[in-house]
Amino acid sequence: MRDAGVQVPATTTTPYLNSIPVSEEPPYPGDWKIEARIKSYIRWNAMAMVVNANRKHDGLGGHISTYASLATLYEVGYNHFFRGDDDGQPADIIYFQGHATPGNYARAYLERRLDERHLQSFRQELSEGGGLPSYPHPYLMPGFWQFPTVSMGLGPLMSLYQARFNRYLQARKLVNWTREPKVWAFVGDGETDEPESLGQVALAARESLDNLVWVVNCNLQRLDGPVRGNGKIIQELEGVFRGAGWNVIKVIWGSDWDALLARDTSGLLLKRMEETVDGEYQKYSVEPGSYIRKHFFGHYPELLKLVNDLTDDQLRKMYRGGHDTRKVYAAYKAAMEHKGQPTVILAKTIKGYGLGEAGEGRNISHQQKKMNEKELREFRARFNIPISDEDIVETPFYRPPDDSVEFQYLMERRKALGGFLPKRKVTAPSLKMPALSEFARFLKGDERSAASTTKAFVLLLSSLLRNKDIGRYIVPIIPDEARTFGMDGLFREIGIYSPKGQLYEPVDKASSLYYHEAKDGQILEEGINEAGSMASFTAAGTAYATHGIQMIPFFIYYSMFGFQRVGDQMWLCGDIMSKGFLLGGTAGRTTLNGEGLQHEDGHSLLLASTIPNLVTYDPAFAYEVAVIIQDGLRRMYQENESIFYYITLYNENILMPPMPAGVEQGILKGLYKFKEGPQGKKHKAHIFGSGPIIRNALAAQEILASKYDVSADVWSVTNYKQLRTDAQNCARWNMLHPTETPRKSYLESTLAKEKGVFVAVSDFMKIVPEQIAQWVPGGLTALGTDGFGRSDTRENLRRFFEIDASMVVLATLSSLAAKGTIGKSVPARAINELGINPEKAHPVLV
Ligand SMILES: Cc1ncc(C[n+]2csc(CCOP(=O)(O)OP(=O)(O)O)c2C)c(N)n1
Ligand SMILES: [Mg+2]
């Protein structure tokens, strides 16, 4: 028809029916009656956890209705699909829906992995003995949770890249699996509105990730109301996923509908199903059967005949597919068997299923966390929970006894499938790290040809890649910036990972640095995709806990597009205890000069400082980069500390000095004296410099000595965050131990004997140095780059932001004058001599 010029509509959606016809449904392998009882007990306990917590402490919160809609989708997985690792093969990797935690805890309670005390302490983590976290947080429950999923969208995104990373590990022969784990992601239908959820689904199809299964719990509701009241979320998602190349399995209608659909010879029932919008379907879930008869079937009088033999009560109870064990089983089985594509299961459910008037299908359902006695009785009756009338008001937990068929069945199923889930376990052996002496070339400096710290890093990475102990575990991750950072040499050397290899001859094949894709390539070249890169970083950085292998990711990116853009994923790295190095390239508001307002970063260090277990460094010289990375490797991969690193890298070429003797500890602790001021001057000052801006401090040192009789020591500050944390720690201890000898922080003891004034200058906002001001003797005057960046020369930008050598001189003199050490006429003279315009506008305000 297309050839004949007919405009044929694109067919990305199929009829609003189950994808698997009844005739192809497999027999159910389990005892669904026992499973139904187990599921009912889990439902009850999940509800009781939230209700009890909020009865004890009003306002603790929690969600009942999400798990209520998910229960069947989880239980079919737990009883028949989710693989554990008891057989020595990897366990399935499951991203559970973040706010359905009560369901996971309630099952673990039946499995005897948690006891009543745990359930009673849901959301009371600070109670005696600890409590259960609201959401999946590995940091807070490191033997249980693997993946933080409650920042919506991040779980789905991580799952894509985890499935891909599993393929990468296999392609590079870093693992030897006889059974490839499945990656499962349970996603909310509302959650699919997050760009992170759907933004990269095409990757999974492009790379044929048939090890990936998504289950979208289409309960048609999010927090405030319907997801697509005026449309159909299942159809919309089907179009998106089919368009992206996924295998889509819709599980819309429960078995009760099969007979009706079989009798729908005119197609009128299907027509009615298709024209009904989700807002109406939600309404049917809260109304009695008579309403459904009148409004759904009664819309076409002929349809009424179809349901003549059904009572109103039967009509109301007609299942949706996602609550039908057999339909869900059929979908999961088909997903397991599907080859060549990822699978998404779109399962239609009811939010708050079983809560009745307390929240089933209601718009308030998401927030419901209390139930009155009547509602509890109804719930108990509906799910047949053996709790007596006297006890019900207490909402006790119910656990079938050890000798019950339910407990036996549940344990047998998990045993057959290889053990309990979720479970996080760290078995990866430590790696042997290179000693600092192996980086001699960086420690020596190079006072002949100028280079940037970015270049130093790239050379260092190349040498690490060649290291026989750790080279193969390194995962370079690049979001289409390799050429920006001078890393294109690596393409040829270690290859870019591509499951298809390279099906074409690259245009630059003749050059020695050609664009080289390979099936076992080591680089993850993510394209223009910081979010995907972070998901890869997380997959690699947690391989020690997911796969028992230490991988060392180095993710290098434009520092402006890091914390500012994908900061939530970096926060998640802290929770998930990912290891690895984040490298903020082209850092510094004035050092990256031509790119202007949206590129020039003067605040990533500030944002980085908000993550407790992120170690952040701002090195000035090649040897500092080497010392920091060597120590980071040692701490993360040898000592197995739960930390990760953020290191700024700059692109300004400078002459790299040799490392002064004995400064390693100072570099790591955050500050050391780089160059003392000349002897025999009348006044004393100290200038803290970081990154390439330390050179402005050095230039100021000379001017101060030659023109103003001031000897200024120049210090390199590599880590303000750590200096602050250490100082705070001591101050706190001293406050709590008033009668004991006070402790002194590294910063305080290092500066204790120094005389004179202190000035700091950096290519970051003033607040970065200012965070240590209260522990600097006599206070600290900070110069920094507050305000929007501009495109111009470095020189002009540094004058504009008032961090050039002249301003450092002025700041030093004005600090001395403020102390009365010199007269006010001296800074006034300097303003004149240095050509500073005192009426220039403040850069923050222009
Ligand atoms: C990034 C982010 N934004 C907002 C929230 C708050 N939030 C938690 S659950 C929820 C609604 C979830 O709806 P849906 O994804 O449909 O899941 P359901 O509970 O319906 O299964 C919201 C808005 C969050 N957790 N993360
Ligand atoms: Mg929903």
Side-chain angles (χ1 to χ4, degrees), residues 28-72:
Y28 195 69
D31 185 327
W32 65 268
K33 285 192 179 148
I34 301 179
E35 289 181 22
R37 290 203 293 277
I38 294 171
K39 184 166 62 186
S40 296
Y41 303 149
I42 297 175
R43 282 179 186 285
W44 172 268
N45 290 328
M47 175 276 296
M49 279 176 81
V50 179
V51 169
N52 283 333
N54 285 278
R55 192 181 292 141
K56 256 191 285 175
H57 306 283
D58 197 18
L60 276 183
H63 304 89
I64 300 176
S65 61
T66 300
Y67 179 69
S69 65
L70 257 178
T72 301

Side-chain angles (χ1 to χ4, degrees), residues 188-190 217 219-222 227 351:
D189 50 355
N217 175 20
N219 54 25
L220 314 187
Q221 288 176 246
R222 42 181 166 71
V227 178
K351 190 142 176 169

Side-chain angles (χ1 to χ4, degrees), residues 318-555:
M318 285 180 49
Y319 272 169
R320 289 188 182 172
H323 297 304
D324 187 323
T325 309
R326 277 169 294 180
K327 301 280 185 203
V328 172
Y329 177 81
Y332 285 7
K333 185 162 184 288
M336 292 301 106
E337 290 164 4
H338 190 80
K339 295 272 173 284
Q341 286 174 302
T343 293
V344 61
I345 293 163
L346 304 172
K348 186 165 171 174
T349 61
I350 292 178
K351 190 142 176 169
Y353 184 72
L355 293 182
E357 287 180 16
E360 183 161 340
R362 306 292 198 279
N363 276 342
I364 50 93
S365 177
H366 191 83
Q367 242 98 333
Q368 184 64 324
K369 42 200 123 274
K370 293 188 178 160
M371 303 231 323
N372 62 31
E373 195 179 331
K374 175 170 166 274
E375 290 159 349
L376 288 171
R377 282 175 197 279
E378 280 170 10
F379 194 107
R380 177 192 62 176
R382 179 154 175 183
F383 294 109
N384 232 328
I385 313 294
I387 291 176
S388 69
D389 273 349
E390 303 90 78
D391 291 344
I392 191 107
V393 277
E394 297 296 325
T395 334
F397 298 114
Y398 177 74
R399 175 147 88 176
D402 286 6
D403 56 2
S404 61
V405 283
E406 292 86 3
F407 179 65
Q408 301 294 332
Y409 183 92
L410 174 144
M411 297 301 271
E412 181 279 317
R413 288 282 72 218
R414 284 320 310 160
K415 194 158 176 250
L417 287 163
F420 297 126
L421 290 166
K423 182 171 67 181
R424 181 179 179 276
K425 78 180 185 193
V426 177
T427 53
S430 303
L431 295 176
K432 185 173 164 288
M433 287 299 145
L436 190 57
S437 53
E438 292 186 35
F439 302 125
R441 93 184 248 205
F442 302 99
L443 309 184
K444 267 198 338 260
D446 180 351
E447 309 222 49
R448 265 178 312 211
S449 67
S452 65
T453 48
T454 306
K455 169 119 187 263
F457 162 73
V458 175
L459 290 173
L460 196 128
L461 180 65
S462 308
S463 82
L464 287 175
L465 283 162
R466 284 192 284 267
N467 182 292
K468 63 177 186 349
D469 295 317
I470 63 165
R472 56 200 244 100
Y473 302 112
I474 291 174
V475 186
I477 303 169
I478 312 169
D480 201 32
E481 298 289 355
R483 293 181 204 281
T484 312
F485 303 126
M487 295 171 78
D488 35 337
L490 292 180
F491 292 161
R492 169 74 187 85
E493 210 173 307
I494 52 172
I496 295 167
Y497 169 72
S498 163
K500 293 200 172 96
Q502 193 157 34
L503 304 176
Y504 59 96
E505 184 175 309
V507 285
D508 50 1
K509 182 79 191 230
S511 97
S512 60
L513 302 178
Y514 71 90
Y515 195 82
H516 173 52
E517 303 193 60
K519 285 188 177 159
D520 62 350
Q522 191 165 357
I523 299 172
L524 290 175
E525 161 65 85
E526 302 290 6
I528 311 163
N529 181 0
E530 286 77 12
S533 303
M534 273 310 295
S536 282
F537 180 86
T538 316
T542 52
Y544 74 97
T546 318
H547 294 311
I549 175 170
Q550 303 261 18
M551 299 299 292
I552 313 175
F554 283 88
F555 169 34

